Amino acid sequence: MAATRLELNLMRLLSRCEALAAERRDSEEWRLEKYVAALEDMLRELKKQSSKPAPELLNEYSRKVDFLKGLLEAEKLSSSTEKALANQFLAPGRTPTTAKERTPATKTVHLQTKARCTGQMRSELLGTVYCPTRKYKSFFFPLCSCRGLASDEKQSAVELDAVLQHHQDMQEKLAEEMLSLARSLKSNTLAAQNVIKQDNQTLSHSLRMADQNFEKLKDESDRLEQHAKKSVNWLLWIMLIVVCFIFISMILFIRIFPKLK
């Protein structure tokens, strides 16, 4: 299916945003943030159209827009450590935006941003100036003189140990929280299992009691019916005997006491 005009505009603007993200921008640069906001609006409109692209292509567009949005949010963070951690969780696109690209531009931007954040974090730890314009991205210029190099290296090592210890503490804390959550989930699951088991036992007992009561009620109904039949038979015989006795008594009365003349 041919791409609509809105989709073509989305692709052009997305390619422009990827190019801007690959460049080194000043802190006062505002175009990329506005372009990403426009991309979000265009993507929402594209999802509402009847002739929208395939779901896989829409997911790819959403993935790239979310990557650019997360990249902007990561750049707003204060420390380079937080920027590096935020960039670790970004997910670039899987396919190129245009036919001219061999690899996805967002993937290239992701690698460049990770390298830049790593260099900045390393320069902060070692007390050096990171130079991204050199041939090798890891080239540094020392700020300290040869006389103070040993003390700076010791201070940098202490700072590096402190950062590593901080990250280790964070990982241990997260591991403990996950472990406590797993334990609470297990205890809740066991409690729910016990409650369900008790409910099933109670329900089974109630069903057995209901069946027993139904059988007893059926037996009592049969006995009552038989008793009712027997009582009706005895009453009928008593009435017949009484009628016969009255009839015989009347005949004897007539025979004994003749009619008066």
Side-chain angles (χ1 to χ4, degrees), residues 24 115-116 118-124 126-143:
R24 289 188 59 84
R116 191 182 305 125
T118 305
Q120 291 176 359
M121 184 172 61
R122 187 175 179 183
S123 64
E124 290 179 1
L126 300 179
T128 55
V129 177
Y130 175 62
C131 183
T133 58
R134 294 286 179 177
K135 182 179 179 181
Y136 299 100
K137 296 298 182 178
S138 61
F139 186 81
F140 293 89
F141 292 102
L143 290 176

Side-chain angles (χ1 to χ4, degrees), residues 3-18 35-47 49 52-53 57-66 68 97-98:
T4 60
R5 183 176 181 182
L6 180 60
E7 186 179 358
L8 292 176
N9 293 333
L10 176 67
M11 293 172 63
R12 294 193 188 100
L13 185 57
L14 184 58
S15 178
R16 178 58 179 163
C17 290
E18 291 172 351
Y35 289 170
V36 172
L39 278 175
E40 291 180 345
D41 297 336
M42 295 172 68
L43 185 60
R44 282 194 293 268
E45 292 295 329
L46 185 63
K47 290 180 179 180
Q49 286 186 349
K52 58 185 178 182
L57 194 56
L58 281 176
N59 292 333
E60 185 66 19
Y61 290 153
S62 301
R63 187 183 181 90
K64 293 180 179 179
V65 173
D66 292 339
L68 293 173
T97 305
T98 60

Side-chain angles (χ1 to χ4, degrees), residues 46-243:
L46 185 63
K47 290 180 179 180
K48 293 179 182 178
Q49 286 186 349
S50 57
S51 59
K52 58 185 178 182
E56 295 81 6
L57 194 56
L58 281 176
N59 292 333
E60 185 66 19
Y61 290 153
S62 301
R63 187 183 181 90
K64 293 180 179 179
V65 173
D66 292 339
F67 170 78
L68 293 173
K69 186 177 179 182
L71 186 65
L72 290 174
E73 293 177 354
E75 290 179 352
K76 294 178 182 178
L77 298 175
S78 58
S79 65
S80 58
T81 305
E82 294 177 351
K83 291 180 182 179
L85 288 175
N87 277 284
Q88 291 292 334
F89 294 101
L90 295 179
R94 297 188 180 93
T95 58
T97 305
T98 60
K100 298 179 181 180
E101 300 176 2
R102 293 185 178 180
T103 59
T106 51
K107 188 174 182 179
T108 306
V109 172
H110 191 212
L111 295 176
Q112 292 177 354
T113 308
K114 286 173 64 176
R116 191 182 305 125
C117 293
T118 305
Q120 291 176 359
M121 184 172 61
R122 187 175 179 183
S123 64
E124 290 179 1
L125 292 174
L126 300 179
T128 55
V129 177
Y130 175 62
C131 183
T133 58
R134 294 286 179 177
K135 182 179 179 181
Y136 299 100
K137 296 298 182 178
S138 61
F139 186 81
F140 293 89
F141 292 102
L143 290 176
C144 57
S145 61
C146 295
R147 184 178 298 176
L149 183 60
S151 61
D152 289 341
E153 287 180 354
K154 292 180 180 179
Q155 185 178 0
S156 300
V158 172
E159 293 178 354
L160 182 59
D161 292 338
V163 172
L164 294 176
Q165 184 65 33
H166 175 67
H167 287 298
Q168 185 177 359
D169 294 339
M170 289 179 62
Q171 290 178 358
E172 290 178 357
K173 185 177 180 181
L174 289 175
E176 290 178 358
E177 291 180 356
M178 292 177 65
L179 185 60
S180 63
L181 288 175
R183 288 175 179 173
S184 62
L185 180 61
K186 182 178 179 181
S187 62
N188 292 333
T189 304
L190 291 176
Q193 185 178 359
N194 293 330
V195 170
I196 294 173
K197 187 176 181 180
Q198 292 177 1
D199 291 340
N200 290 332
Q201 292 177 356
T202 304
L203 183 60
S204 301
H205 181 69
S206 300
L207 290 175
R208 286 196 300 269
M209 293 296 295
D211 293 337
Q212 292 177 2
N213 292 333
F214 179 75
E215 294 294 334
K216 290 180 179 179
L217 182 61
K218 186 177 180 181
D219 294 339
E220 294 295 331
S221 298
D222 294 338
R223 290 177 59 187
L224 182 61
E225 185 178 359
Q226 294 177 1
H227 183 70
K229 289 180 179 179
K230 290 180 179 179
S231 62
V232 169
N233 292 332
W234 281 106
L235 183 62
L236 181 62
W237 283 108
I238 292 172
M239 290 178 64
L240 287 175
I241 292 171
V242 170
V243 169

